[in-house]
């Protein structure tokens, strides 16, 4: 069987998610050898405010060493103990010494084992070259050895697992999968189900990072089967918990909770308080994640200059509040069960984070207990991150208390005693004590020689000084933290301190150096595409608070001026160099948002020059880039055959912009609105279009492409109104998530369609009686293969796509676009097809590469005619952009809201009629004519505006 072509793509990806991947890949090591699975907080520092996980052993060692002197055995055990406690530099020393002693005794197997542990420890420190040398030497030793015994094969499988992990970290995906396949084969030979399960989890990590949904699901099923078939034991309880944590990290919260609940049952039946407390911690994390999930899409946070990690989003749903309370209860139960101090502290800190979301004030006794527990922890990476996490919570509590105090003092009904009490309660912690906590973290990191932890400690100490406006101290510590991050080649840390340095330089008035620092941060983020796609569901909060602002603040810097605030759009003098860089940053932000949406980096970037795409377009095209900043909307326009970009600004607070856009969207979806809708539409037209009209007319532009930002993505640009006519009456319109993602046009156009959909009610969704007419009319215009109702299944769609190279796929069925990938789907007869599965179904034809001499063409046009964006989800259009770039189609035509009306079939049939009548007509122009055709019959935008073309407009 030919090698899958996705591996060729994977080799080009660069570095994968170093720290998150290490955690997941170590699962195989955990099951097979008994060195514990470290907490997520030890991999992704708690400075990022992700819930902490238990960092205790989950099983006893299952491989016995060959007979060695007592002192060497103790040296190995010391190394493992240091590794488990997060003292990796000292663990390296122990394993190096052990390997040297074993070498002097010609004990090849144990030398290979010590080198394996050495590689793992070096990986934790980010020493990739040293880790590679150690694991390569270990394998070379094993190749020279007799591997006939079960013990020797155990060691070989373990070393292969470690090698696969390192290869994945370095982006060598094909090699990593081969290493894990060899490890799995070895585990099977010796009958080690637990070890085999670990290698399956490792492979699932790779497949998921490549976006291979079906393969990942198959592994899910096998892992679950293996775990549930094991007899009750501490290993089973730990394995179920580790698998539950993996599912939680991959975003499957409900499935994660089921696995964790089964782990808890096993732990309780075995009467193991430590296993029970570790699982309770994971269950608390799952409930916490579930409570926060809806808050992401319901909120539009204000742009914060500093990274915001506080739970300040208002909880509007009782169900969400209940999840936070459940999480708090789980964390609270751990104190009396765990014998490990770090587990107790982790639970206390997670509960403190939950209380912030519940807007509950912790008692001084509770805060004192955490501080006391932290002081008693043995220095380790986990202990250092816990200390930083505590400081973050104290800062957030102080911020929340100051807000509460302001509200109380501004209230006329409160008496003086109450106001005095509020003022006293606002003093959560004085600055000197916070600085002391962070200085201790810095010193502990130095003591254990952990430069990564030291960089985080110094960086957050600098950020605290930044908050307190002690800028000289802030810059000094930031530069020290950045220097350390560069020394250990840790770009995932470095970009944070580059951004921080940019902020500090900006407030000190050094704009030129600030732009340079911000630019370096964005460049670092681009090289870290895979690392930013952490599997933890909390990462969307981190992305919006700690990644997205870097791009937005840089654009704001590049386009800044001394213009005073006004509601009118103005032209500003900004250099062409800055304009082009700002445009590139907006494109990069669009790509980063999609990477974050999918939680992988499988989006292919076209190496096409953006200016060339526009200059060579026919019809004559202009591209509009927008970005919504805290105080204004910025528009950059690329005109055809013009070297100079145009630039327009409308000064208006972000909250007013968001309110206007939300009101307009609501009016567009209401069939009987008129004057108020036109006024809102004209206001948005004035922001985006009005300043550019003269340039468009002079350049004879006929087609407009919009790269829209934020809530603007929810507005169909075709419905913008200039006071006399809609935009669609003058220009054809298309959307793009970025011209770097633009798929090239096929040289020759052929019209043959796979059409399908549902007319009957199904699985709680209403019937769509007009779909039958829609499909019949399409079939009368172009040759078609129809799948309707019972025939409209994922299997049948996949079979048709793979057997016939349909250039057009038209699906008329319920569908929803959401800011959450798991809530973006279309409805088939037998259930929902989520976006990841849809991608694989529509790209089935690509899997024949290697079995055929002919590479089949991609889908030219995907049409989703009955979909809608999720109600209440302010970033729902992200799901539409996701479908467009990942479906494999060059162009996607979809609806922003559902129009269950015969006008849909009229519009669609007119669209296809226009395309077939003139093979040189662009898809954007065909859509414009179809929309205008319906507009003449039904003037309200409800009927014709929701249909948007995304991707290649030609």
């Amino acid at each position: 069987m030919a090698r899958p072509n996705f591996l060729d793509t994977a080799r080009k990806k660069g570095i994968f998610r170093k720290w998150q991947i290490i955690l997941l890949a170590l699962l195989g090591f955990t099951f097979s050898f008994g060195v514990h699975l470290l907490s997520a907080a030890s991999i992704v520092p708690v400075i990022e405010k992700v819930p902490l996980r238990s960092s205790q052993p989950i099983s006893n060692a299952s491989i016995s060493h060959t007979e060695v002197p007592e002192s060497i055995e103790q040296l190995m055990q010391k190394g493992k103990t240091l590794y488990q406690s997060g003292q990796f530099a000292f663990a390296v020393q122990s394993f190096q010494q052990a390997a040297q002693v074993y070498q002097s005794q010609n004990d090849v197997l144990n030398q290979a084992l010590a080198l394996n542990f050495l590689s793992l420890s070096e990986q934790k420190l980010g020493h990739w070259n040293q880790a590679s040398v150690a694991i390569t030497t270990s394998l070379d030793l094993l190749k020279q050895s007799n591997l006939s015994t079960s013990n020797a094969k155990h060691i070989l499988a373990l070393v292969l697992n470690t090698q696969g992990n390192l290869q994945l970290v370095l982006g060598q995906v094909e090699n990593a999968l081969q290493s894990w396949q060899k490890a799995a084969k070895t585990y099977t030979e010796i009958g080690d189900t637990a070890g085999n399960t670990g290698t399956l989890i490792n492979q699932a990590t790779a497949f998921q990072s490549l976006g291979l949904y079906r393969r990942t699901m198959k592994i899910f099923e096998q892992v679950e089967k293996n775990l549930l078939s094991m007899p009750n034991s501490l290993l089973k309880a730990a394995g179920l918990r580790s698998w539950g944590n993996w599912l939680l990290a991959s975003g499957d919260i409900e499935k994660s909770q089921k696995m964790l609940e089964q782990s808890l049952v096993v732990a309780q039946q075995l009467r193991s308080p430590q296993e029970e407390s570790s699982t309770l911690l994971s269950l608390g994390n799952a409930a916490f994640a579930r409570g926060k999930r809806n808050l992401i899409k319901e909120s539009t946070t204000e742009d914060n200059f500093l990274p915001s990690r506080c739970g300040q989003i208002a909880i509007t749903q009782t169900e969400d509040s209940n999840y936070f309370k459940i999480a708090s209860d789980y964390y609270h139960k751990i104190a009396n069960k765990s014998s490990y101090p770090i587990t107790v502290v982790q639970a206390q800190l997670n509960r403190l984070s939950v209380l912030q979301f519940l807007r509950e004030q912790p008692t001084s006794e509770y805060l004192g207990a955490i501080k006391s527990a932290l002081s008693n922890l043995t220095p380790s990476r986990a202990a250092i991150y816990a200390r930083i996490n505590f400081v973050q919570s104290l800062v957030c509590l102080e911020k929340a208390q100051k807000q509460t105090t302001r509200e109380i003092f501004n209230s006329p009904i409160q008496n003086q005693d109450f106001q005095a009490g509020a003022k006293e309660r606002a003093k959560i912690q004085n600055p000197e004590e916070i600085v002391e906590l962070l200085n201790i973290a810095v010193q502990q990191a130095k003591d254990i020689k952990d430069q990564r932890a030291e960089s985080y400690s110094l960086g957050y100490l600098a950020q605290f000084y930044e908050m307190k406006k002690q800028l000289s101290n802030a810059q000094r510590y930031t530069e020290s933290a950045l220097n350390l991050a560069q020394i250990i080649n840790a770009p995932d840390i470095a970009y944070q301190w580059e951004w921080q340095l940019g902020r500090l330089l900006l407030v000190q008035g050094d704009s030129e150096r600030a732009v340079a620092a911000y630019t370096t941060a964005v460049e670092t983020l681009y090289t870290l595409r895979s690392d930013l796609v952490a599997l933890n569901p909390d990462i969307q909060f981190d992305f919006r608070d700690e990644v997205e602002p870097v791009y937005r603040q840089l654009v704001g810097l590049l386009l800044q001026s001394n213009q005073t605030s006004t509601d009118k759009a103005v032209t500003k003098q900004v250099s062409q160099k800055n304009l082009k860089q700002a445009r590139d940053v907006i494109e990069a932000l669009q790509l980063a948002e999609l990477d974050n949406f999918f939680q992988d980096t499988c989006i292919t970037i076209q190496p096409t020059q953006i200016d060339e795409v526009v200059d060579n377009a026919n019809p004559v095209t202009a591209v509009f880039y927008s970005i919504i900043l805290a105080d204004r909307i910025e528009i950059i326009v690329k005109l055809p055959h013009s070297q100079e970009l145009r630039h327009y600004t409308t000064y208006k607070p972000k909250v007013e912009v968001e309110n206007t856009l939300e009101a307009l969207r609501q009016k567009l979806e209401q069939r009987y609105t008129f004057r108020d809708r036109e006024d809102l539409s004209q206001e948005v037209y004035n922001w985006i279009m009005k300043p550019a009209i003269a340039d468009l007319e002079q350049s004879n532009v006929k087609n407009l492409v919009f790269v829209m930002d934020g809530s603007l993505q929810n507005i169909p640009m075709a419905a913008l109104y200039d006071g006399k006519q809609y935009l669609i009456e003058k220009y054809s319109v298309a959307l793009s998530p970025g011209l770097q993602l633009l798929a090239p046009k096929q040289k020759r156009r052929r019209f043959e369609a796979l059409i399908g959909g549902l007319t009957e009610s199904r699985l709680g969704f209403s019937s769509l009686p007009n779909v039958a007419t829609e499909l019949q009319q399409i079939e009368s215009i172009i040759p078609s293969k129809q799948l309707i109702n019972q025939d409209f299944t994922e299997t049948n769609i996949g079979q048709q796509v793979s057997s016939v190279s349909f250039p057009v796929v038209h699906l008329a069925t319920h569908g929803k676009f959401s800011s959450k990938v798991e809530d973006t789907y279309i409805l088939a007869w037998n259930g929902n097809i989520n976006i990841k599965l849809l991608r694989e179904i529509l790209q089935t034809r690509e899997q024949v590469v290697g079995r055929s001499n002919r590479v089949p063409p991609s889908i030219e046009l995907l049409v989703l005619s009955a979909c809608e964006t999720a109600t209440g989800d302010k970033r729902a259009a992200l799901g539409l952009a996701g479908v467009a770039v990942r479906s494999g189609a060059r162009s996607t035509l979809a609806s922003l809201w559902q129009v269950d009306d015969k006008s849909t079939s009229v519009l669609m049939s007119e669209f296809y009629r226009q395309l077939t009548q003139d093979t040189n007509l662009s898809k954007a122009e065909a859509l414009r004519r179809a929309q205008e055709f319906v507009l003449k019959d039904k003037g309200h935008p409800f009927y014709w505006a929701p249909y948007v073309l995304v991707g290649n407009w030609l």
Side-chain angles (χ1 to χ4, degrees), residues 363-387:
T363 64
S364 57
E365 291 79 10
Y366 188 75
L367 296 176
I370 296 176
K371 187 174 180 181
S372 176
L374 284 170
S375 66
N376 293 325
L377 289 178
T378 301
S380 67
R381 180 179 288 182
I384 292 166
Y385 290 159
R387 188 177 293 273

Short mmCIF file of all heavy atoms in Angstrom, two decimals, residues 363-387:
data_model
loop_
_atom_site.label_atom_id
_atom_site.label_comp_id
_atom_site.label_asym_id
_atom_site.label_seq_id
_atom_site.Cartn_x
_atom_site.Cartn_y
_atom_site.Cartn_z
N THR A 363 -11.91 33.75 51.47
CA THR A 363 -11.62 34.27 52.81
C THR A 363 -10.12 34.46 52.97
O THR A 363 -9.31 33.86 52.26
CB THR A 363 -12.12 33.28 53.88
OG1 THR A 363 -11.38 32.05 53.75
CG2 THR A 363 -13.60 33.01 53.71
N SER A 364 -9.76 35.30 53.91
CA SER A 364 -8.34 35.51 54.18
C SER A 364 -7.69 34.23 54.69
O SER A 364 -6.51 33.98 54.44
CB SER A 364 -8.17 36.64 55.21
OG SER A 364 -8.87 36.34 56.41
N GLU A 365 -8.48 33.39 55.39
CA GLU A 365 -7.95 32.11 55.87
C GLU A 365 -7.59 31.19 54.71
O GLU A 365 -6.57 30.49 54.74
CB GLU A 365 -8.97 31.42 56.78
CG GLU A 365 -9.20 32.09 58.14
CD GLU A 365 -10.12 33.30 58.03
OE1 GLU A 365 -10.73 33.49 56.95
OE2 GLU A 365 -10.24 34.05 59.02
N TYR A 366 -8.44 31.21 53.67
CA TYR A 366 -8.20 30.35 52.51
C TYR A 366 -6.93 30.80 51.78
O TYR A 366 -6.08 29.97 51.42
CB TYR A 366 -9.39 30.40 51.56
CG TYR A 366 -9.33 29.42 50.42
CD1 TYR A 366 -9.56 28.07 50.63
CD2 TYR A 366 -9.03 29.85 49.13
CE1 TYR A 366 -9.51 27.16 49.58
CE2 TYR A 366 -8.97 28.95 48.07
CZ TYR A 366 -9.21 27.61 48.30
OH TYR A 366 -9.15 26.70 47.28
N LEU A 367 -6.77 32.09 51.60
CA LEU A 367 -5.57 32.61 50.95
C LEU A 367 -4.33 32.33 51.79
O LEU A 367 -3.28 31.97 51.26
CB LEU A 367 -5.71 34.11 50.71
CG LEU A 367 -6.81 34.55 49.74
CD1 LEU A 367 -6.88 36.08 49.67
CD2 LEU A 367 -6.57 33.97 48.35
N GLY A 368 -4.46 32.46 53.11
CA GLY A 368 -3.34 32.18 53.99
C GLY A 368 -2.93 30.72 53.94
O GLY A 368 -1.74 30.38 53.99
N ALA A 369 -3.92 29.82 53.81
CA ALA A 369 -3.62 28.39 53.73
C ALA A 369 -2.83 28.06 52.46
O ALA A 369 -1.90 27.24 52.49
CB ALA A 369 -4.92 27.58 53.77
N ILE A 370 -3.21 28.70 51.34
CA ILE A 370 -2.48 28.47 50.09
C ILE A 370 -1.05 28.97 50.22
O ILE A 370 -0.10 28.28 49.82
CB ILE A 370 -3.19 29.16 48.91
CG1 ILE A 370 -4.57 28.55 48.68
CG2 ILE A 370 -2.34 29.05 47.65
CD1 ILE A 370 -5.37 29.26 47.60
N LYS A 371 -0.90 30.16 50.78
CA LYS A 371 0.44 30.73 50.91
C LYS A 371 1.32 29.86 51.81
O LYS A 371 2.50 29.62 51.51
CB LYS A 371 0.34 32.14 51.49
CG LYS A 371 1.67 32.89 51.51
CD LYS A 371 1.48 34.33 51.96
CE LYS A 371 2.79 35.08 51.97
NZ LYS A 371 2.64 36.48 52.42
N SER A 372 0.73 29.35 52.88
CA SER A 372 1.48 28.47 53.78
C SER A 372 1.88 27.18 53.09
O SER A 372 3.01 26.70 53.22
CB SER A 372 0.64 28.18 55.02
OG SER A 372 1.30 27.25 55.86
N ALA A 373 0.93 26.60 52.31
CA ALA A 373 1.22 25.35 51.61
C ALA A 373 2.32 25.54 50.57
O ALA A 373 3.19 24.68 50.40
CB ALA A 373 -0.05 24.82 50.94
N LEU A 374 2.29 26.68 49.89
CA LEU A 374 3.33 26.96 48.90
C LEU A 374 4.71 27.04 49.55
O LEU A 374 5.70 26.56 48.99
CB LEU A 374 3.02 28.28 48.18
CG LEU A 374 1.91 28.25 47.13
CD1 LEU A 374 1.57 29.68 46.69
CD2 LEU A 374 2.32 27.43 45.91
N SER A 375 4.78 27.64 50.70
CA SER A 375 6.07 27.79 51.37
C SER A 375 6.65 26.46 51.82
O SER A 375 7.87 26.33 52.02
CB SER A 375 5.93 28.72 52.58
OG SER A 375 5.10 28.13 53.57
N ASN A 376 5.79 25.44 51.94
CA ASN A 376 6.25 24.12 52.40
C ASN A 376 6.57 23.16 51.26
O ASN A 376 7.02 22.04 51.51
CB ASN A 376 5.19 23.48 53.31
CG ASN A 376 5.02 24.23 54.62
OD1 ASN A 376 5.99 24.76 55.17
ND2 ASN A 376 3.80 24.28 55.12
N LEU A 377 6.34 23.58 50.02
CA LEU A 377 6.61 22.71 48.88
C LEU A 377 8.11 22.62 48.61
O LEU A 377 8.84 23.60 48.71
CB LEU A 377 5.92 23.24 47.63
CG LEU A 377 4.39 23.13 47.55
CD1 LEU A 377 3.89 23.76 46.25
CD2 LEU A 377 3.94 21.68 47.65
N THR A 378 8.56 21.42 48.25
CA THR A 378 9.94 21.26 47.79
C THR A 378 10.11 21.96 46.46
O THR A 378 9.26 21.83 45.58
CB THR A 378 10.25 19.76 47.63
OG1 THR A 378 10.06 19.10 48.88
CG2 THR A 378 11.69 19.56 47.15
N PRO A 379 11.17 22.72 46.27
CA PRO A 379 11.35 23.43 45.00
C PRO A 379 11.29 22.49 43.80
O PRO A 379 11.95 21.44 43.78
CB PRO A 379 12.74 24.06 45.14
CG PRO A 379 12.91 24.24 46.62
CD PRO A 379 12.24 23.04 47.23
N SER A 380 10.51 22.84 42.81
CA SER A 380 10.36 22.07 41.58
C SER A 380 9.71 22.99 40.56
O SER A 380 9.21 24.07 40.90
CB SER A 380 9.49 20.84 41.81
OG SER A 380 8.16 21.22 42.10
N ARG A 381 9.67 22.56 39.31
CA ARG A 381 9.02 23.36 38.29
C ARG A 381 7.54 23.55 38.62
O ARG A 381 7.00 24.65 38.53
CB ARG A 381 9.18 22.73 36.91
CG ARG A 381 8.51 23.54 35.81
CD ARG A 381 8.70 22.91 34.43
NE ARG A 381 10.07 23.07 33.97
CZ ARG A 381 10.49 22.65 32.77
NH1 ARG A 381 9.64 22.05 31.95
NH2 ARG A 381 11.74 22.84 32.39
N ALA A 382 6.88 22.46 39.04
CA ALA A 382 5.46 22.55 39.37
C ALA A 382 5.23 23.51 40.53
O ALA A 382 4.27 24.28 40.53
CB ALA A 382 4.90 21.16 39.70
N ALA A 383 6.11 23.49 41.54
CA ALA A 383 5.96 24.37 42.69
C ALA A 383 6.18 25.83 42.28
O ALA A 383 5.49 26.73 42.76
CB ALA A 383 6.95 23.97 43.78
N ILE A 384 7.12 26.07 41.38
CA ILE A 384 7.38 27.43 40.92
C ILE A 384 6.19 27.97 40.14
O ILE A 384 5.74 29.10 40.35
CB ILE A 384 8.66 27.46 40.05
CG1 ILE A 384 9.88 27.15 40.93
CG2 ILE A 384 8.82 28.81 39.36
CD1 ILE A 384 11.13 26.83 40.14
N TYR A 385 5.67 27.16 39.23
CA TYR A 385 4.51 27.59 38.46
C TYR A 385 3.29 27.80 39.36
O TYR A 385 2.48 28.70 39.12
CB TYR A 385 4.19 26.57 37.37
CG TYR A 385 5.20 26.52 36.26
CD1 TYR A 385 5.31 25.39 35.45
CD2 TYR A 385 6.05 27.59 36.00
CE1 TYR A 385 6.24 25.33 34.41
CE2 TYR A 385 6.98 27.53 34.99
CZ TYR A 385 7.07 26.41 34.20
OH TYR A 385 7.98 26.36 33.18
N ALA A 386 3.16 26.98 40.38
CA ALA A 386 2.06 27.17 41.32
C ALA A 386 2.18 28.50 42.04
O ALA A 386 1.18 29.21 42.25
CB ALA A 386 2.04 26.02 42.33
N ARG A 387 3.38 28.87 42.38
CA ARG A 387 3.60 30.16 43.06
C ARG A 387 3.21 31.32 42.13
O ARG A 387 2.57 32.29 42.55
CB ARG A 387 5.06 30.26 43.50
CG ARG A 387 5.38 31.45 44.39
CD ARG A 387 6.84 31.40 44.81
NE ARG A 387 7.11 30.26 45.68
CZ ARG A 387 6.95 30.27 47.01
NH1 ARG A 387 6.54 31.38 47.60
NH2 ARG A 387 7.21 29.20 47.72
#
